[in-house]
Amino acid sequence: MEESMKGLNAAQEEAVTSTEGFIRVIAGAGSGKTRALSQRFAYLVNEIGILPGNILCVTFTNKSANEMRQRIHHLTGDNDTGYICTFHSFCVSILQEDGHALQYPKNFLVLDNADIDAMLQLIYEERGLTLRDMSFSSARDMIEMQKLFQKPEYYLDLFALPHDALRQKYESAQGVSDIIFYGYLCQQKKCFGLDYNDLLKFSLYLFEQHGDIRLKWQQRLEYIMIDEFQDIDSIQYDLMRVLCGYHGNLFVVGDPDQTIYTWRGANVKYLLEFDKVFPGTKTILMMDNYRSTPEILAAANSLIDKNLLRMKKELRPVLPGGAPVLCRFADSPEAEAQWMADQMERLHGEGVPFREMAVLYRAHHVSRAVEEELLRREIPYTIYSGVQFFMRREVKDALSYLRMVADRDDLAFRRILNLPKRNLGRRRMAFLEQYAQDKACSLYEALCDSLEDPLFKGTGAQDFVALIERFSPGCEQRPVSELLSALLDESGYEAMLRTEGSQERLDNLAELKQSVYEYETSCGEESTLEHYLTHIALFTNSDAEDRSDKVKLMTVHTAKGLEFPYVFLCAMNEGIFPSKKTNTLQAMEEERRLAFVAMTRAEKGLYLTEAEGRNFDGSPRYPSRFLLDIDETLLAYTQKPQDHLIAKAQDYINFNSRYLLDHSQGQHFARGQRIKHSIFGPGTIVEVDMEKAAYTIQFEKIETPRTITFRAKLEVLQG
């Protein structure tokens, strides 16, 4: 036991050894919560004797899950590391084991964005829609909103309606949104595909409908641990409450000051009110920070203390003193970028690798000046945005070959049938589509049945089928890394890239092979093809590591959960950070939490910058209130800001603050409610836009609807 407690402080040790009942850990940034979670898992296994398979540890990214799995394997020496995964990944395990009770096959397809876009492409072509009607990105968001809010019972259609009835619903749909939504459900039904929302919804529905299955999972999970609990949403919360309903052992870790995802459903009240929902809760505070210097922490503490809606606490530094937090007031965005590049070159000259530096910003558009300057100076950089690693064309192609061997699904088939070229273009694909529809079979089955048809003579159809048939038997018994290499070789895919001279794409395939190997190493006997494909479908950009020596550019949201020796937080201007969309007191506090998260990513050096100039709308730029929130004695200014600039900024901030709404106060109306406006008279609430803080109202005396701000005085009309 002494070995397992080695190096833990008092609060961490208390968290590790408190095993029974409901436990809430408030863990500040850099306080070693990942270590505490890993040690607690090991303590349950090594000291108490709990089987790893009876422990669930939920993280919010696959990267975190992989890191924790490796730590626990090192601490326990056991290849079985239980359920260490994201909520979505855990739901996959539930549905693979018990989804048959919902008439879903074990090998259902987990859909990523590329799969959804492929389905949308089919719907758009079939119904004559274009990207002018709705972009794919907007369509994905719309589908998610429909599933979460407008049509939360959608999943009943997937269960109850036969495919023909669902297709009829799709064909009779009129509006663009309904056409896309029901077309998507139709495509889902056809290939037994589930997206991220479905995984949670289906799991909850399964537990609701089948008490025996619910009890089995409740009894199995003797201990449940959840990381980043401040980011949990209502569906995840409901699932968690169900799962801990038998043993009553629930351990949650979070930091209210790092709640930055309310816009996607996160609700910090689940953490703050945890002790009210679960009486007898033990609360442990972990405030010792092992990441950042005292100078960085002092500035971050000074900033977050300005929030009113928070649990009062302060991070305590463990590391010795370091460099002061540097603050730069620049004359222009170009001058701001030049100064940052100067500091990067200075650090690099002192032996600091570029990969230890990160530039963080509130919105992508402000990176332009930084990029231009880095390019001019030939400072290597990478942007954490754009095309995600696992969404890159060649990576998706390679994974589609694996999917064909495992499941032979239509989406993978469409993607790789003619990669490399096999003379199987649009005309022959249209034939297969029609055949599959008429015979109610998969596209691969349609191809197998049609090999003797004259249409497929002189094509590579025979070779493609032979390839799949050769690799399919026994694919689950072969190491995934070996299977992937062989497929890419024998299909001719890698040879095609070499012929094209696509070295970057070949490098990406090499990186993919390395990631497969690392997955196999960390997962032991679980690293089957089925497990790997499920794992990768749930992967996001933040889960992929870039080991190259480049400065990292990313939004603050992307940086959540990461840390860097040197952080440049740029464009600290009103209307940028905080965002100009911020129109409530609650949203402003979330923006301040976001700035706090950005500052606490830094380990050794923190650089805060802003620039004068004009915004896109021509309005003058002012320094961010978040710079002014920090006690000026805690900042080292490269040049003291001019008094008149600070005075103007303060006037702007005071004026702006007067118009921030308080959502905790006042009356809000719901869609469909009848109201009366002092000028326009009676009307009906058509839409409620929380982001714009406005209603869309159809007034009786006005032909077209009006957008009316929450600030307007409205009366409720009875009846």
Side-chain angles (χ1 to χ4, degrees):
M1 177 164 168
E2 284 183 14
E3 187 62 31
S4 65
M5 297 295 117
K6 200 171 176 183
L8 297 180
N9 63 34
Q12 289 171 330
E13 189 170 328
E14 187 181 5
V16 167
T17 56
S18 301
T19 61
E20 305 309 299
F22 299 103
I23 299 150
R24 172 178 64 176
V25 178
I26 306 295
S31 61
K33 61 184 177 67
T34 304
R35 184 179 186 187
L37 279 163
S38 305
Q39 293 278 18
R40 188 175 192 269
F41 193 111
Y43 180 81
L44 289 169
V45 174
N46 294 340
E47 304 299 333
I48 297 182
I50 305 299
L51 291 169
N54 291 349
I55 304 171
L56 169 64
C57 182
V58 177
T59 67
F60 268 74
T61 67
N62 282 289
K63 184 182 177 199
S64 302
N66 287 338
E67 287 174 1
M68 199 168 293
R69 203 178 289 117
Q70 287 168 13
R71 285 188 187 217
I72 290 167
H73 173 68
H74 177 72
L75 290 166
T76 64
D78 197 332
N79 279 332
D80 182 3
T81 50
Y83 298 101
I84 303 172
C85 50
T86 63
F87 269 114
H88 297 104
S89 187
F90 179 65
C91 287
V92 169
S93 299
I94 294 171
L95 295 171
Q96 283 180 338
E97 188 169 322
D98 291 310
H100 58 85
L102 300 174
Q103 281 73 56
Y104 259 68
K106 187 174 183 291
N107 63 337
F108 64 85
L109 192 61
V110 180
L111 302 171
D112 60 23
N113 281 349
D115 296 326
I116 297 169
D117 286 353
M119 290 176 166
L120 291 172
Q121 184 69 46
L122 292 171
I123 297 162
Y124 279 42
E125 287 175 3
E126 193 169 71
R127 296 297 296 267
L129 299 178
T130 71
L131 296 178
R132 289 184 179 177
D133 294 300
M134 193 178 295
S135 69
F136 283 0
S137 173
S138 298
R140 290 197 303 272
D141 289 344
M142 178 274 295
I143 290 167
E144 185 176 7
M145 289 299 105
Q146 293 259 29
K147 286 187 171 185
L148 288 173
F149 303 113
Q150 280 88 35
K151 298 184 177 78
E153 306 296 307
Y154 74 91
Y155 57 92
L156 297 176
D157 280 353
L158 283 173
F159 293 133
L161 295 180
H163 184 265
D164 287 347
L166 196 54
R167 184 161 184 87
Q168 181 59 44
K169 212 165 183 177
Y170 157 57
E171 288 175 348
S172 60
Q174 294 301 313
V176 172
S177 293
D178 275 358
I179 291 171
I180 294 169
F181 183 72
Y182 286 108
Y184 176 64
L185 292 189
C186 221
Q187 290 292 331
Q188 280 192 277
K189 181 93 174 179
K190 188 178 175 184
C191 67
F192 292 105
L194 301 180
D195 59 33
Y196 287 12
N197 290 302
D198 303 328
L199 295 171
L200 293 160
K201 284 269 193 178
F202 277 40
S203 298
L204 274 170
Y205 183 71
L206 176 69
F207 290 154
E208 184 187 306
Q209 297 296 311
H210 299 274
D212 56 331
I213 294 174
R214 179 178 68 245
L215 183 61
K216 178 187 76 173
W217 283 95
Q218 288 175 330
Q219 289 178 333
R220 181 184 300 178
L221 302 175
E222 296 176 10
Y223 295 90
I224 298 172
M225 299 188 280
I226 302 178
D227 194 10
E228 304 287 3
F229 198 72
Q230 76 279 350
D231 293 332
I232 202 167
D233 62 30
S234 60
I235 301 177
Q236 293 164 342
Y237 184 75
D238 290 343
L239 183 63
M240 175 214 71
R241 291 197 69 177
V242 170
L243 290 171
C244 72
Y246 185 82
H247 294 288
N249 290 325
L250 178 60
F251 178 94
V252 303
V253 185
D255 181 6
D257 286 337
Q258 296 189 68
T259 306
I260 59 174
Y261 291 116
T262 58
W263 50 275
R264 74 180 189 197
N267 194 334
V268 74
K269 78 172 186 181
Y270 296 134
L271 178 61
L272 295 176
E273 298 176 7
F274 188 85
D275 55 336
K276 295 176 185 170
V277 178
F278 302 102
T281 290
K282 181 178 187 178
T283 296
I284 301 167
L285 294 179
M286 283 172 39
M287 292 295 114
D288 288 348
N289 178 286
Y290 294 86
R291 177 187 298 157
S292 308
T293 63
E295 291 80 1
I296 293 169
L297 290 184
N301 282 329
S302 177
L303 170 72
I304 200 63
D305 192 52
K306 304 303 185 293
N307 269 6
L308 301 174
L309 307 170
R310 67 184 290 261
M311 183 185 287
K312 286 286 182 183
K313 55 188 177 60
E314 197 164 279
L315 292 172
R316 295 186 298 264
V318 173
L319 298 179
V325 176
L326 273 181
C327 187
R328 176 74 173 180
F329 288 76
D331 294 334
S332 67
E334 290 72 27
E336 180 185 23
Q338 287 163 12
W339 183 80
M340 285 194 290
D342 288 341
Q343 300 306 307
M344 291 174 194
E345 288 182 335
R346 178 184 62 76
L347 287 167
H348 194 62
E350 293 171 3
V352 177
F354 285 123
R355 65 176 170 272
E356 293 188 359
M357 308 174 205
V359 179
L360 308 185
Y361 36 76
R362 179 64 179 85
H364 278 299
H365 69 82
V366 302
S367 71
R368 180 194 57 79
V370 182
E371 284 188 73
E372 287 179 359
E373 187 62 23
L374 296 182
L375 281 168
R376 192 178 69 78
R377 304 230 193 162
E378 297 184 350
I379 296 174
Y381 70 93
T382 183
I383 299 180
Y384 278 61
S385 67
V387 183
Q388 300 177 359
F389 178 80
F390 288 98
M391 295 293 153
R392 289 173 185 165
R393 185 172 49 162
E394 58 280 5
V395 174
K396 286 296 296 181
D397 293 344
L399 295 174
S400 292
Y401 267 106
L402 288 176
R403 277 173 44 174
M404 273 306 300
V405 167
D407 301 320
R408 306 177 185 185
D409 69 89
D410 284 358
L411 294 172
F413 180 90
R414 286 192 187 93
R415 186 173 188 96
I416 61 165
L417 178 64
N418 212 32
L419 287 173
K421 296 289 186 193
R422 298 186 177 98
N423 197 21
L424 295 165
R426 284 191 177 182
R427 185 165 66 95
R428 292 180 173 91
M429 180 59 82
F431 174 89
L432 294 174
E433 294 271 10
Q434 191 61 54
Y435 186 98
Q437 191 173 323
D438 294 343
K439 301 288 185 181
C441 65
S442 71
L443 290 173
Y444 181 76
E445 289 169 327
L447 181 63
C448 292
D449 292 350
S450 307
L451 288 176
E452 299 304 317
D453 190 290
L455 186 64
F456 292 91
K457 298 299 178 188
T459 71
Q462 288 273 9
D463 292 340
F464 180 74
V465 170
L467 178 80
I468 303 305
E469 295 299 322
R470 188 161 68 252
F471 279 92
S472 284
C475 65
E476 284 294 324
Q477 279 70 53
R478 290 180 73 176
V480 182
S481 52
E482 179 192 296
L483 186 65
L484 178 63
S485 293
L487 271 169
L488 292 174
D489 178 37
E490 295 190 34
S491 65
Y493 187 84
E494 275 190 322
M496 174 189 78
L497 294 187
R498 280 194 289 273
T499 304
E500 293 173 358
S502 304
Q503 190 55 50
E504 187 178 345
R505 296 176 67 194
L506 286 165
D507 290 345
N508 285 334
L509 287 183
E511 183 67 21
L512 175 65
K513 290 174 187 176
Q514 179 62 25
S515 79
V516 173
Y517 176 73
E518 288 173 1
Y519 174 79
E520 289 172 333
T521 306
S522 68
C523 290
E525 72 271 7
E526 288 187 4
S527 58
T528 63
L529 179 58
E530 181 188 340
H531 277 102
Y532 177 72
L533 288 173
T534 300
H535 165 79
I536 230 60
L538 297 167
F539 236 71
T540 65
N541 199 33
S542 59
D543 301 321
E545 259 186 77
D546 189 343
R547 300 178 183 89
S548 56
D549 191 27
K550 297 176 181 177
V551 177
K552 298 174 175 69
L553 274 62
M554 66 186 76
T555 65
V556 181
H557 279 103
T558 303
K560 174 75 163 53
L562 305 177
E563 54 191 40
F564 313 94
Y566 299 91
V567 168
F568 295 83
L569 181 54
C570 67
M572 295 288 285
N573 291 90
E574 288 291 310
I576 299 175
F577 202 177
S579 165
K580 65 179 179 181
K581 294 179 180 177
T582 309
N583 50 30
T584 68
L585 291 170
Q586 288 76 15
M588 186 59 74
E589 295 219 339
E590 178 147 341
E591 288 288 299
R592 190 174 282 106
R593 290 195 295 269
L594 192 58
F596 172 79
V597 165
M599 291 169 70
T600 53
R601 299 310 93 196
E603 298 171 348
K604 299 176 182 178
L606 176 61
Y607 304 82
L608 307 175
T609 69
E610 71 86 42
E612 290 184 58
R614 297 271 171 187
N615 294 312
F616 292 137
D617 61 2
S619 61
R621 276 190 175 188
Y622 297 111
S624 168
R625 67 192 70 196
F626 302 150
L627 287 178
L628 307 185
D629 281 344
I630 301 168
D631 185 336
E632 62 179 21
T633 63
L634 303 175
L635 299 175
Y637 299 96
T638 59
Q639 188 178 338
K640 212 57 170 154
Q642 295 177 351
D643 290 342
H644 74 88
L645 175 65
I646 300 302
K648 283 184 177 178
Q650 208 60 67
D651 286 346
Y652 172 84
I653 292 163
N654 291 337
F655 178 79
N656 174 265
S657 298
R658 274 188 256 154
Y659 290 93
L660 290 176
L661 299 164
D662 186 354
H663 275 182
S664 66
Q665 306 291 322
Q667 189 175 24
H668 288 299
F669 302 102
R671 190 164 72 168
Q673 215 166 347
R674 296 264 299 146
I675 55 85
K676 184 180 179 183
H677 187 277
S678 58
I679 306 295
F680 292 146
T684 303
I685 307 283
V686 179
E687 289 292 341
V688 181
D689 190 325
M690 298 303 287
E691 189 176 308
K692 291 181 179 175
Y695 305 109
T696 302
I697 304 176
Q698 181 63 66
F699 292 102
E700 292 178 3
K701 297 177 181 177
I702 302 175
E703 191 172 331
T704 56
R706 295 289 184 272
T707 304
I708 304 293
T709 162
F710 287 173
R711 288 194 294 271
K713 289 183 180 177
L714 302 174
E715 296 176 32
V716 181
L717 287 179
Q718 303 300 326

